[in-house]
Amino acid sequence: MTLVMSSLPFDMVDALQQPSLKERERALGVVYTPSALVEFMVRLARPARSGCRVLEPACADAPFLASFIRRYGCGYQLYGVEIDTAHLSRARANVPQATFIEADFLLWEPSSCFDIILGNPPYGIIGDGSHYPIHTLKERKTLYRQRSRTWYGKFNIYGAFIERAVDLLSPGGKLVFVVPASWLVLDDFRLLRAYLAQVGGLQVYYLGKVFPKRNVSVVVLVVEKGGEGLELYDGAEELAVVKPAYAGEMIRFERREWLEFEQNGVPLGDLFHVRFAARSPEVRKHPAVSTEARPAYVPILTGRNLHAGWIDYKTCYSGLWMPRERAVELRSFYGFPHLVVAHTKGARVVCAYDERCYPWREEFHLVPKREGLDLLAMMHYLNGEPVQRYVSDLYRDFVPHLTASMLKRIPVERSMLPYFGRPLSRNANVTLSG
Ligand SMILES: C[S@@+](CC[C@H](N)C(=O)[O-])C[C@H]1O[C@@H](n2cnc3c(N)ncnc32)[C@H](O)[C@@H]1O
């Protein structure tokens, strides 16, 4: 059975006519789910009764429906939704028992809800083709945003799929999706996490990088509508965290050791403002910035100049130079020695002390909130083993970088703070001894 619910946007028709299958699939976020993972998820989706309504959104050739029938038989009402006609014809051949709908799942309005929704939605930030993978849907982004109550920041199409699928669940219904792990920790998903906590009980199975040739760490998310609390599993079996009253906070591997570490310390964010460097476009258009090295100009530094405990002040990876004393025109904190922490080196902390006050185009910059902090000792502490273990254990590889929120929560041992000076006043003349 086939229902045609919507036509493709103009630029998507264009994209679908592209000769390269690979390009077309990338533009629609196509990633095929390994069969062992499909089977694991179908097991989690166990139906409570026969005859219930089962939906696979973004189904491509409907691997989840096919596996569902193999495991539980045909006594269910099965539906698949897919935007791409070519995929749909394969789905119909693969699962002739199901009803397939050609539609944009995020705009689709079915007449009834579903008891089970399972699958692998597309992943990617929606935007311009030169920057973002999901660009064929760019024209529809405003509509998606208008309809979503959890869209925040850049968001990601998979977040919109989670929200829409939860809304289409019947009371007591179950969602089983495999999605990137980034929603566990990124601020872009804080509204989504809060919404999920409000509508159901969550089980999250952290599986790591299980998609061949894809450098993305994933989780299987189970939402039981009307339930409550959170269970985080390390892999398919090991229950690692239980929160009977989950309210939407970051989801982390909060073992007792790390909770005690946090309780006994002062969050780094209480001691420092975490600022980000001047962005590339701003740096490029500054009148004192040059693409050539000139006498008395210094390189504008990037993450490649930053190492644990030291800064390479010589190599110009950015290809940009400027007079050092004008760096403050980009950011005032370039004007005094301060700590710099890497943003893009995975879930580890790489910190150095910029004693020469150079201009930067990347990374986090720690601006003290209080007097009397020993910055060199702080640098050694942040690069040290306990902090590295804390960060990598709590956040694994959920995202390929350290976020400002993670950085602000790092506990600083109280022994590091022999003298807790008064807060710096707004106009304080900052002189910090290394
Ligand atoms: C990650 S693939 C998953 C394929 C399949 N479910 C699997 O697990 O092997 C995502 C699928 O979503 C489809 N898709 C992308 N955007 C969509 C949308 N807005 N509505 C419906 N399907 C969409 C793509 O065409 C693609 O087939």
Side-chain angles (χ1 to χ4, degrees):
M1 271 190 282
T2 304
L3 306 174
V4 177
M5 295 291 294
S6 82
S7 56
L8 295 171
F10 180 71
D11 62 343
M12 183 177 290
V13 174
D14 253 11
L16 297 181
Q17 285 165 351
Q18 283 167 3
S20 152
L21 177 69
K22 212 170 153 196
E23 266 176 52
R24 188 184 79 178
E25 295 203 332
R26 183 172 182 268
L28 283 172
V30 178
V31 177
Y32 294 100
T33 317
S35 53
L37 177 54
V38 174
E39 279 163 32
F40 169 64
M41 290 170 60
V42 166
R43 202 151 40 86
L44 293 176
R46 171 172 292 286
R49 59 178 176 86
S50 64
C52 68
R53 287 164 59 81
V54 181
L55 170 69
E56 181 179 352
C59 62
D61 50 6
F64 289 88
L65 294 180
S67 169
F68 192 92
I69 291 173
R70 281 197 298 276
R71 191 170 188 96
Y72 304 115
C74 289
Y76 301 89
Q77 304 172 59
L78 305 171
Y79 298 86
V81 175
E82 169 58 57
I83 205 165
D84 179 9
T85 316
H87 277 131
L88 265 182
S89 51
R90 287 203 293 276
R92 285 177 201 123
N94 204 12
V95 190
Q97 305 88 330
T99 301
F100 286 101
I101 299 119
E102 185 175 337
D104 183 328
F105 177 67
L106 297 178
L107 305 179
W108 179 53
E109 298 285 355
S111 50
S112 315
C113 287
F114 297 88
D115 303 294
I116 295 171
I117 300 182
L118 79 173
N120 173 9
Y123 320 146
I125 292 169
I126 305 172
D128 192 82
S130 57
H131 282 95
Y132 299 107
I134 310 284
H135 52 275
T136 51
L137 300 171
K138 192 178 156 210
E139 301 300 313
R140 295 186 172 195
K141 189 171 167 180
T142 316
L143 267 181
Y144 295 160
R145 285 185 77 122
Q146 278 166 359
R147 288 180 177 219
S148 160
R149 68 194 103 194
T150 67
W151 196 292
Y152 185 75
K154 286 203 181 100
F155 211 48
N156 190 303
I157 193 169
Y158 82 78
F161 264 75
I162 293 174
E163 181 191 328
R164 184 71 189 129
V166 164
D167 285 347
L168 293 182
L169 277 182
S170 321
K174 198 191 273 185
L175 169 78
V176 185
F177 264 0
V178 57
V179 288
S182 53
W183 68 276
L184 305 185
V185 291
L186 290 185
D187 280 355
D188 285 2
F189 299 93
R190 68 189 178 86
L191 297 180
L192 178 68
R193 288 194 301 268
Y195 183 59
L196 292 178
Q198 197 188 315
V199 295
L202 312 187
Q203 289 147 35
V204 178
Y205 297 83
Y206 165 75
L207 301 180
K209 295 180 179 168
V210 289
F211 282 84
K213 298 191 197 148
R214 298 277 163 167
N215 192 21
V216 60
S217 189
V218 300
V219 294
V220 170
L221 164 66
V222 179
V223 182
E224 285 179 341
K225 201 163 181 176
E228 55 190 33
L230 166 76
E231 290 178 351
L232 173 62
Y233 289 80
D234 192 353
E237 308 277 342
E238 190 191 327
L239 183 56
V241 177
V242 179
K243 286 193 173 188
Y246 174 64
E249 58 274 21
M250 273 199 224
I251 299 174
R252 321 179 296 166
F253 279 107
E254 291 177 346
R255 300 185 199 283
R256 182 165 347 147
E257 179 186 2
W258 301 127
L259 291 178
E260 284 174 3
F261 189 43
E262 287 185 341
Q263 275 153 18
N264 294 334
V266 176
L268 194 72
D270 285 4
L271 305 174
F272 294 92
H273 298 285
V274 174
R275 303 281 188 241
F276 207 74
R279 306 278 177 178
S280 214
E282 190 187 343
V283 171
R284 284 188 174 279
K285 71 174 193 266
H286 190 280
V289 170
S290 162
T291 50
E292 289 160 24
R294 296 187 185 156
Y297 276 42
V298 298
I300 296 179
L301 305 180
T302 73
R304 295 179 70 187
N305 296 90
L306 179 65
H307 303 270
W310 67 281
I311 292 167
D312 170 1
Y313 287 106
K314 287 211 171 71
T315 318
C316 186
Y317 293 107
S318 65
L320 301 169
W321 286 261
M322 79 185 297
R324 199 191 56 156
E325 63 281 4
R326 296 196 63 181
V328 286
E329 294 170 24
L330 285 171
R331 289 291 180 273
S332 58
F333 50 80
Y334 296 159
F336 50 84
H338 65 278
L339 295 177
V340 185
V341 177
H343 173 49
T344 53
K345 296 192 198 276
R348 64 201 177 97
V349 182
V350 173
C351 177
Y353 179 57
D354 181 4
E355 59 189 351
R356 296 198 198 169
C357 310
Y358 267 41
W360 289 81
R361 198 193 60 184
E362 284 164 5
E363 310 304 46
F364 295 117
H365 297 262
L366 304 189
V367 178
K369 288 182 176 177
R370 289 170 182 274
E371 288 178 343
L373 295 167
D374 181 341
L375 297 188
L376 274 186
M378 193 71 71
M379 175 188 84
H380 289 302
Y381 174 75
L382 290 175
N383 288 328
E385 209 252 342
V387 170
Q388 303 305 325
R389 279 205 307 121
Y390 159 87
V391 170
S392 64
D393 235 39
L394 269 180
Y395 303 106
R396 304 286 180 88
D397 53 1
F398 296 168
V399 284
H401 49 265
L402 190 75
T403 68
S405 303
M406 294 176 191
L407 188 55
K408 285 179 195 165
R409 288 185 76 164
I410 293 175
V412 176
E413 283 172 6
R414 287 174 200 275
S415 61
M416 297 273 307
L417 310 169
Y419 163 67
F420 226 10
R422 63 187 164 79
L424 285 173
S425 74
R426 197 178 265 274
N427 302 318
N429 186 9
V430 186
T431 47
L432 299 162
S433 63

